[in-house]
Amino acid sequence: MLVLLLGVGIYLQIGLKVMPIRKLGMGFKLMWGGRDSKASSQDEGEISPFNALMTALSATIGTGNIAGVATAIALGGPGAVFWMWITALVGMATKFAEAVLAVRYRETDENGFHIGGPMYYIKNGLGRKWLWLGGAFAFFGAVAAFGIGNTVQSNSVADALDSSFGIPHWVTGLVIMVLAGAVILGGIKRIAKVAGKLVPVMGIAYIIAGVCALSVNADQIGNAFSDIFYYAFNPHAAVGGFAGAAVMAAIRFGVARGIFSNEAGLGSAPIAHAAAQTKNPVRQGLIAMLGTFIDTIMVCTVTALVILTAPIWETGEQGASLTAMSFENALPGGWGDIIVSIALAVFAFTTILGWSFYGEKCFQFLFGTRSIMLYRILFVAAIPVGALAQLGFIWLMADTFNAMMAIPNLIALALLSPVVFKLTKDYFDGKDILPGEDLDHHKS
């Protein structure tokens, strides 16, 4: 699975001539210019390009950035962070291609809303004979949303709030259910509006908290980077409570947690980008690829450095508690627990919002527009169930269904890559090809 994800990403990055990395600055410029929905109201779509990215980021910045990074280091050693970075740099090309195809092949549903994503670019890009593949993605996506985007999140929050503040799991589950339900039942416009406000605030606040923690252990930052690069290619011996890790373990856990965190290749983010107010697929692709950069290169790196500059990671502790203890090491007086618990709660809450939309669109593809409200109700009802469930089984289920939904998407990305390359080349050559124009001859 990981070989397939990295393989397709590397192929796309080479085919695009490393454009996603070279044009990173341009992506940020387009994102900043796409904040105003009125400015882009003449374009087709329901939400501004900026809010489309924030909706996608709301789903990706979650427990993976706090618990996932800690798990990768606890099981794979410091070298796992390097492989998380590689996954992100490769994943930028994957995320770019996903968004380009999502806008290129999106449709309008019975309610007049724009809908898109892997199931639609499989159906409209590859043709009817591949419809079964789109159906497979939609099925796995609708089910996966209950894992990665619902029960995993509510479970992690319940654990964090219970250990930090003594709040019972069932209380956390019910509160999240009520708050999330109020947003989810309002559809994509309400989700995007909340995400557009919460995601930038929570992301910046968490990075500031991380920088404060790093400033206390500033003398250890150089050693942390040294360990990351050295143990990416060398096995780490057992030390303290850390059982040791082979290079393969660093690669496996670094790539797996990186993909869980930034979701490049899963096919989830393009569902949000398909609703963006834009006529040009490449412009939205340039904005979409920032999701991977912000999530992994920025937010995950802060978490990783806070953990590696504290001596706690060698004790054998894992998950969110390792991150909390590492923050506590730098910011004593209970602040570590408080920062991580609040960050985890807000991150997980917005992830639930974003993934509710992803699952809903997959369900809609399978059962039609009238099924949307049923899915929303089922999704909201599952939140307290996740808060009370066993974490180990839930993480396993989430990883399994993530893999199952990624496979159809990666096949489609590989087969439709000539379309992505052609659209990108024409955009940068000044020949803007808009959706609706015939590109079928480029797919052969």
Side-chain angles (χ1 to χ4, degrees):
M1 185 65 251
L2 301 181
V3 169
L4 186 61
L5 278 158
L6 279 180
V8 172
I10 291 167
Y11 164 69
L12 290 169
Q13 193 69 272
I14 293 170
L16 291 166
K17 297 171 185 171
V18 205
M19 182 279 297
I21 296 172
R22 289 188 291 110
K23 299 291 183 182
L24 186 63
M26 183 180 182
F28 276 105
K29 188 177 177 183
L30 286 170
M31 178 196 75
W32 190 251
R35 288 170 298 137
D36 187 5
S37 60
K38 291 176 184 174
S40 51
S41 59
Q42 72 274 14
D43 291 334
E44 300 166 356
E46 284 66 57
I47 57 179
S48 71
F50 176 82
N51 275 355
L53 175 63
M54 291 305 114
T55 303
L57 270 177
S58 74
T60 55
I61 298 182
T63 56
N65 298 78
I66 293 176
V69 174
T71 300
I73 293 171
L75 298 176
V81 179
F82 175 85
W83 296 107
M84 285 184 76
W85 291 340
I86 295 299
T87 305
L89 294 175
V90 168
M92 285 174 67
T94 312
K95 197 74 75 90
F96 170 83
E98 288 176 332
V100 167
L101 293 173
V103 175
R104 171 70 178 85
Y105 292 111
R106 64 185 177 181
E107 295 181 1
T108 307
D109 68 11
E110 295 169 25
N111 297 327
F113 291 118
H114 287 78
I115 49 175
M119 54 281 198
Y120 291 98
Y121 52 72
I122 289 170
K123 172 187 163 189
N124 299 325
L126 295 177
R128 290 279 169 182
K129 65 181 179 181
W130 290 90
L131 193 58
W132 64 272
L133 192 68
F137 173 86
F139 171 74
F140 292 129
V143 176
F146 282 94
I148 183 176
N150 188 318
T151 49
V152 160
Q153 307 298 330
S154 60
N155 193 288
S156 296
V157 177
D159 268 357
L161 296 184
D162 183 27
S163 62
S164 297
F165 306 111
I167 299 171
H169 280 56
W170 67 269
V171 173
T172 300
L174 285 177
V175 170
I176 297 174
M177 181 182 76
V178 171
L179 293 175
V183 181
I184 290 167
L185 297 176
I188 181 58
K189 289 190 175 180
R190 191 179 298 173
I191 291 170
K193 195 172 181 182
V194 172
K197 299 285 192 298
L198 265 181
V199 172
V201 171
M202 73 174 188
I204 292 168
Y206 182 73
I207 289 171
I208 290 172
V211 169
C212 289
L214 287 174
S215 66
V216 176
N217 291 326
D219 59 322
Q220 293 299 315
I221 294 175
N223 291 336
F225 275 109
S226 176
D227 285 350
I228 289 169
F229 287 106
Y230 180 79
Y231 291 115
F233 305 99
N234 296 278
H236 196 299
V239 53
F242 178 63
V247 175
M248 199 59 226
I251 296 172
R252 178 191 164 194
F253 292 110
V255 173
R257 293 297 102 213
I259 286 164
F260 180 89
S261 178
N262 63 50
E263 297 175 19
L266 292 192
S268 49
I271 299 173
H273 289 288
Q277 292 169 331
T278 184
K279 285 181 181 174
N280 195 291
V282 176
R283 286 174 69 90
Q284 196 59 34
L286 288 164
I287 294 172
M289 70 185 191
L290 299 179
T292 303
F293 183 85
I294 293 168
D295 176 274
T296 307
I297 303 296
M298 292 172 68
V299 183
C300 285
T301 299
V302 166
T303 303
L305 290 176
V306 169
I307 291 170
L308 291 175
T309 52
I312 313 296
W313 75 271
E314 295 177 347
T315 62
E317 195 67 48
Q318 288 187 33
S321 59
L322 171 56
T323 308
M325 289 167 71
S326 300
F327 267 94
E328 186 67 26
N329 175 261
L331 306 169
W335 282 105
D337 254 359
I338 292 169
I339 288 168
V340 172
S341 296
I342 293 173
L344 198 61
V346 180
F347 283 7
F349 177 72
T350 57
T351 297
I352 290 170
L353 301 185
W355 268 92
S356 72
F357 179 67
Y358 296 162
E360 170 192 308
K361 292 298 124 186
C362 289
F363 202 71
Q364 180 183 356
F365 181 82
L366 294 171
F367 302 108
T369 306
R370 292 183 182 179
S371 67
I372 289 175
M373 192 52 72
L374 170 63
Y375 187 86
R376 288 178 186 173
I377 292 168
L378 289 172
F379 192 88
V380 172
I383 293 170
V385 177
L388 296 167
Q390 288 299 310
L391 188 64
F393 171 74
I394 285 183
W395 277 93
L396 184 64
M397 184 183 77
D399 274 348
T400 303
F401 278 101
N402 284 358
M404 297 304 288
M405 67 186 284
I407 292 169
N409 180 51
L410 292 167
I411 292 170
L413 287 176
L415 293 173
L416 290 168
S417 58
V419 179
V420 177
F421 300 154
K422 174 65 177 168
L423 284 167
T424 306
K425 184 177 184 301
D426 286 345
Y427 178 79
F428 286 106
D429 286 349
K431 308 171 195 169
D432 286 357
I433 295 182
L434 300 177
E437 294 181 12
D438 185 26
L439 263 183
D440 289 346
H441 62 285
H442 294 301
K443 287 185 287 179
S444 59

